[in-house]
Amino acid sequence: MPTSTMVLKQGEVFVVADERGEIGRSVPGAGVYFRDTRFLSDYHLLLNDEAPDLLDSSGEHNAVGIAQFGNPYLRTADGQDILPNTISLRRYRLIDQGVLEQLELRNFNRFAVDLELTLTFGSDFRDIFDIRGFRRTSTGRVLLPRHNDDEVILGYRARDGVLQELVIHFNRVPDETTIEAGAGYTTELEELRTMIPGRDRIVRTPPSSRPPQVAALFHVHLEPQGHTSVDMTLSPREMLDNPADTSPPPPVIRPEPGSLAPEWFTAVRTNHEVFDRLVERSLRDLRTLVTPFPGGGRLIAAGIPWYVAPFGRDAVLTALQLLMFSPELAVDTLRALALKQGTKVDPWTEEEPGKILHEQRFGEMARLAEVPHVPYYGTVDATPLFIVLFCETMRWVGSRALFDEFHPAIERALEWVDRYGDGNGDGFVDYGHRSRGGLVNQGWKDSDNSLQFPDQSPIAAPVALVEVQGYVYQAKRGLAEVYDVFGKPDAAHRLRREAEALRKRFEERFWSPADDFYGQAIDGSGRLVDAISSNPGHCLFSGIASPERAAAVARRLRGPDMYSGWGIRTLSAQVRHYNPMSYHNGSVWPHDNALIVAGLRRYGYDDDANAVFSDLVAAATHFEYGRLPELFCGFSREFERYTIPISYPVSCSPQAWAAGALPYLLQVVLGLEPDALNHRLTLRPCLPDWLETVQLRGLRIAGLSVDVTVVGRGYEVDVSLDGPDQIEVVVDRTVTRSR
């Protein structure tokens, strides 16, 4: 999101506003949201019919925002001059099962002042898919606002009979309340400014009608040095409309409470204060994104504003990134996704037995089956990654009870990989576009144009992505280790045999000798998509790449066409469809880089790993609040003159796996590897020059809590442990490759 955006969230409610805290067309997607519906699309305030002057604002604390205004020059009705910045107007905003807002006014003049404060509200009650550019044939009906003393209600009757309302309650009765029915206007101003994420194109909409608005006017009298406030709560709610008088009242659905985040994370302190602040920012954002979605427990929402929803891939990868900080979150994630694991074959939703969901939505368009997200299962990688997360969680927790709980879901996921995952029987897990409302591309780069031959020839389905074969290999290897421990040696042997066979097929088919690099995918015609992309970097993370070819991949990923100076690009600058301002064809994604850094360390390229880690830390310091966004542009960093990382215009921020990137990279450079079953913690640290001390407090392994301190430079470190005697710490000071 642009730096002029204030994003606040807690629980199921989030707000996207401009830096003033106002909601309107200046910010794409601005509004108050609950369960995929925008309950407020217009909100602004005037002081004596003038917009106050913004002095400063902040949404740094995620659930609390502040905006400080001063008055412009004003002339009252009786001819009195009020000089600028002699009246303070401060907006406090808190998100907690709705929006609580306080407007505090203070008079710093030596005389009394009479003012008019006008608050204007309106809502189009649009579905998030509608806002994102998914077209609708018809909608429900926006209702004329109602008001009664200290309350205003905005309403919408959805096509399926659901009544949605935003109840605005004031701490005092407005002196005047005016309702405007709405008038014709065009929404092109809003939509032309919105480059829809994942589509890399502008969305234009036909003219539509402006929703009705309500203006609440308050007369404010301020004595010299006096103050007062106008407070309000904005509460979204949904109910089924039932006009029969004899029926019981319809159930009212309101947001769940906001105190939903994990109670605690492992605490981190280092010698580098800036890095400490970046990690704290990441963990704060991740707490904010934990959401109690209906019927599925709590999950980390993928990102604000476009993806406040259950996402299988995003939840799994974020939980994987945070295992050093919260194994409990990984268990919650596995549990929530297992509850929604596929049970049947459904071409519309692309559900199949054992498959892990891609995305679930709760708005009108999902309820009416205008989109298949109920949930939608069109993802090729979430299922093998679900197995990977289980295996890694077992390394941290290692309990028989956990194995017994998830073993049936893991077996179902494994069956999906083997039975449904390979659409054409060539030995690779692939995908094909089956649902008319689904995704064309179903890997993590799921935008329409993220997979292209350099010569622009068409892609044939089904498609086998290079990184997905690595995830399957990693899943089967990891699960074999778990099965060895829990008494399933025959299954473990079979999984290792299958993983090795996959590795050999992978090396034969995905390597491009001409490019000295792995291709991005194999399409349905058997052609290798030989675009140079970041995807093969995930094959270092999973361990499927041979050591010799891993060396070539590592070199190319750090070459000038792939490396921007701030991070590894999604696509080489030498490929014809490269664009540093695109969603997936030349941008830099922090989570993508984090997984690649883990792969670089796996194969011993520690200097490269530390360089990418350090550059991502430097990039984070340039973004608002030290918050790494979902992605940023892939423009080159020019060291001979001052340059900055460039924001992507509609990036989610905060976004889950971007927030998890730096915490995960700390685990990576520490080389921290748990073995809960043997109560052992191994560290193979290689710290960058700027990181000399790392203290971990409350690290959980095998159900025990320990404190770990690492002090030193590079490989020469001392490690101390404070905790139960049952945990053994092993330090591996092996020096590996550098370039």
Side-chain angles (χ1 to χ4, degrees):
M1 299 298 291
T3 56
S4 60
T5 301
M6 182 188 293
V7 175
L8 304 175
K9 179 186 178 294
Q10 189 161 207
E12 295 185 274
V13 176
F14 68 94
V15 179
V16 180
D18 65 19
E19 60 188 359
R20 301 170 62 88
E22 310 258 274
I23 294 171
R25 283 172 282 168
S26 61
V27 171
V32 174
Y33 290 84
F34 170 57
R35 294 195 182 174
D36 299 323
T37 298
R38 178 160 67 180
F39 278 75
L40 190 67
S41 55
D42 191 10
Y43 168 43
H44 60 270
L45 62 85
L46 297 174
L47 207 57
N48 283 22
D49 292 326
E50 298 283 347
D53 296 329
L54 178 66
L55 303 181
D56 212 341
S57 65
S58 174
E60 180 178 5
H61 294 286
N62 290 1
V64 181
I66 183 173
Q68 176 65 58
F69 302 92
N71 65 292
Y73 166 75
L74 298 175
R75 189 172 181 84
T76 64
D78 59 3
Q80 188 177 47
D81 291 325
I82 303 177
L83 296 179
N85 297 326
T86 58
I87 304 292
S88 163
L89 173 58
R90 179 170 292 184
R91 165 181 271 149
Y92 290 100
R93 179 173 292 165
L94 170 67
I95 314 302
D96 186 9
Q97 295 182 271
V99 182
L100 289 73
E101 183 144 308
Q102 180 184 72
L103 301 170
E104 181 187 80
L105 296 105
R106 290 182 177 268
N107 178 20
F108 293 100
N109 289 286
R110 296 184 179 181
F111 50 85
V113 172
D114 289 296
L115 299 169
E116 290 184 348
L117 176 67
T118 304
L119 309 177
T120 302
F121 307 91
S123 181
D124 53 16
F125 288 92
R126 287 173 70 189
D127 188 286
I128 188 71
F129 281 99
D130 187 17
I131 295 170
R132 286 171 53 193
F134 290 70
R135 290 296 148 244
R136 308 194 64 181
T137 56
S138 63
T139 62
R141 183 165 58 92
V142 177
L143 307 177
L144 197 66
R146 323 191 299 273
H147 72 95
N148 181 20
D149 295 332
D150 57 359
E151 197 168 81
V152 169
I153 300 176
L154 308 179
Y156 174 76
R157 185 72 46 89
R159 287 172 50 212
D160 59 352
V162 172
L163 178 64
Q164 297 174 307
E165 293 182 332
L166 183 71
V167 180
I168 305 169
H169 181 83
F170 301 104
N171 67 332
R172 52 185 280 191
V173 178
D175 294 286
E176 295 180 26
T177 303
T178 305
I179 293 175
E180 181 184 340
Y185 85 127
T186 177
T187 59
E188 284 188 4
L189 176 62
E190 177 181 13
E191 300 296 348
L192 283 173
R193 293 173 61 88
T194 305
M195 188 166 67
I196 301 302
R199 300 194 166 201
D200 285 355
R201 65 172 182 258
I202 298 300
V203 174
R204 293 175 172 83
T205 62
S208 62
S209 60
R210 188 182 70 190
Q213 292 188 319
V214 58
L217 182 146
F218 298 87
H219 294 303
V220 177
H221 177 79
L222 295 172
E223 292 291 332
Q225 302 300 313
H227 64 91
T228 190
S229 69
V230 174
D231 305 342
M232 63 187 131
T233 59
L234 295 84
S235 305
R237 67 187 186 189
E238 294 181 340
M239 65 193 83
L240 287 174
D241 183 41
N242 189 343
D245 295 335
T246 58
S247 300
V252 178
I253 301 171
R254 294 186 175 90
E256 293 287 339
S259 55
L260 303 156
E263 293 181 1
W264 47 289
F265 282 125
T266 299
V268 173
R269 185 175 180 181
T270 75
N271 64 292
H272 199 281
E273 293 183 6
V274 172
F275 180 68
D276 288 353
R277 289 198 298 272
L278 296 176
V279 171
E280 174 55 32
R281 161 53 51 199
S282 296
L283 298 180
R284 182 182 296 172
D285 287 346
L286 289 161
R287 289 186 182 98
T288 296
L289 288 168
V290 174
T291 306
F293 294 111
R298 67 182 188 183
L299 272 177
I300 287 187
I304 304 173
W306 311 113
Y307 305 120
V308 180
F311 269 76
R313 177 196 308 115
D314 297 59
V316 165
L317 283 177
T318 306
L320 188 71
Q321 291 173 323
L322 290 178
L323 276 166
M324 186 177 81
F325 292 83
S326 180
E328 300 87 348
L329 186 60
V331 173
D332 283 350
T333 300
L334 290 167
R335 192 168 287 141
L337 294 176
L339 283 173
K340 298 179 182 295
Q341 194 170 19
T343 60
K344 62 182 183 297
V345 174
D346 183 343
W348 168 241
T349 64
E350 303 198 42
E351 179 181 359
E352 291 166 334
K355 199 174 187 182
I356 298 301
L357 68 83
H358 172 59
E359 177 184 0
Q360 184 173 14
R361 294 290 183 164
F362 308 97
E364 181 183 15
M365 292 179 69
R367 298 195 308 268
L368 292 170
E370 295 181 50
V371 292
H373 299 66
V374 288
Y376 173 60
Y377 289 82
T379 172
V380 70
D381 50 13
T383 307
L385 285 171
F386 178 79
I387 302 173
V388 170
L389 177 61
F390 168 74
C391 298
E392 292 301 310
T393 304
M394 290 300 298
R395 297 179 68 190
W396 283 94
V397 180
S399 73
R400 180 79 204 200
L402 196 69
F403 176 83
D404 290 342
E405 177 183 355
F406 290 113
H407 178 243
I410 294 301
E411 281 291 309
R412 290 193 296 270
L414 192 61
E415 183 179 4
W416 178 86
V417 168
D418 293 336
R419 180 178 177 185
Y420 296 96
D422 184 1
N424 58 3
D426 66 352
F428 299 119
V429 171
D430 54 35
Y431 66 88
H433 181 213
R434 296 172 58 197
S435 174
R436 60 180 172 80
L439 293 167
V440 174
N441 292 317
Q442 297 186 358
W444 83 261
K445 294 178 180 176
D446 58 5
S447 54
D448 293 352
N449 62 358
S450 64
L451 185 66
Q452 300 181 46
F453 283 106
D455 64 3
Q456 304 293 294
S457 57
I459 300 284
V463 173
L465 293 169
V466 63
E467 74 273 17
V468 172
Q469 316 318 311
Y471 302 154
V472 173
Y473 173 84
Q474 186 179 14
K476 291 191 172 185
R477 293 276 302 179
L479 193 56
E481 293 179 7
V482 174
Y483 279 0
D484 275 338
V485 171
F486 288 98
K488 296 174 71 67
D490 292 342
H493 178 71
R494 173 178 57 81
L495 288 168
R496 286 194 178 91
R497 187 175 65 248
E498 291 171 356
E500 178 60 19
L502 171 61
R503 189 192 66 78
K504 290 180 179 178
R505 290 194 302 274
F506 172 82
E507 293 288 8
E508 291 171 1
R509 297 289 306 281
F510 276 89
W511 185 253
S512 170
D515 297 306
D516 201 25
F517 203 70
Y518 293 108
Q520 188 175 351
I522 294 173
D523 83 341
S525 69
R527 292 181 62 197
L528 182 68
V529 182
D530 54 351
I532 304 299
S533 69
S534 64
N535 301 55
H538 293 218
C539 296
L540 307 185
F541 162 74
S542 65
I544 195 172
S546 70
E548 298 76 18
R549 289 174 175 176
V553 171
R555 283 194 301 271
R556 187 61 181 270
L557 291 174
R558 290 275 287 135
D561 62 319
M562 285 296 295
Y563 200 69
S564 75
W566 299 110
I568 297 165
R569 298 183 177 102
T570 48
L571 191 71
S572 165
Q574 296 177 356
V575 178
R576 181 184 297 181
H577 54 280
Y578 164 76
N579 177 359
M581 298 176 286
S582 75
Y583 198 55
H584 284 137
N585 292 327
S587 54
V588 174
W589 287 63
H591 92 281
D592 185 32
N593 278 253
L595 294 179
I596 293 171
V597 169
L600 291 170
R601 284 231 66 195
R602 174 191 282 270
Y603 285 86
Y605 298 101
D606 295 345
D607 288 351
D608 288 310
N610 279 339
V612 180
F613 176 34
S614 299
D615 287 339
L616 281 176
V617 169
T621 63
H622 288 276
F623 292 106
E624 190 174 26
Y625 311 139
R627 173 185 286 156
L628 277 173
E630 176 186 17
L631 71 154
F632 52 92
C633 293
F635 291 109
S636 294
R637 183 179 184 180
E638 300 177 42
F639 289 94
E640 68 275 11
R641 55 183 178 176
Y642 177 73
T643 57
I644 59 173
I646 304 300
S647 298
Y648 181 79
V650 287
S651 173
C652 284
S653 185
Q655 197 259 4
W657 58 19
L662 293 184
Y664 178 60
L665 285 172
L666 181 61
Q667 177 185 339
V668 169
V669 299
L670 288 173
L672 196 151
E673 298 178 2
D675 181 359
L677 289 166
N678 294 302
H679 289 74
R680 182 181 298 119
L681 190 64
T682 300
L683 288 91
R684 187 175 66 85
C686 180
L687 304 181
D689 293 341
W690 49 270
L691 195 61
E692 300 176 5
T693 302
V694 179
Q695 297 175 318
L696 304 176
R697 296 290 180 261
L699 183 74
R700 273 97 69 218
I701 177 173
L704 302 171
S705 177
V706 299
D707 297 341
V708 178
T709 301
V710 179
V711 180
R713 287 176 173 269
Y715 301 100
E716 299 300 321
V717 298
D718 293 320
V719 178
S720 59
L721 178 74
D722 184 10
D725 294 337
Q726 300 98 306
I727 301 296
E728 175 192 7
V729 172
V730 177
V731 181
D732 180 357
R733 294 185 173 87
T734 303
V735 178
T736 54
R737 298 180 186 86
S738 61
R739 291 198 293 110

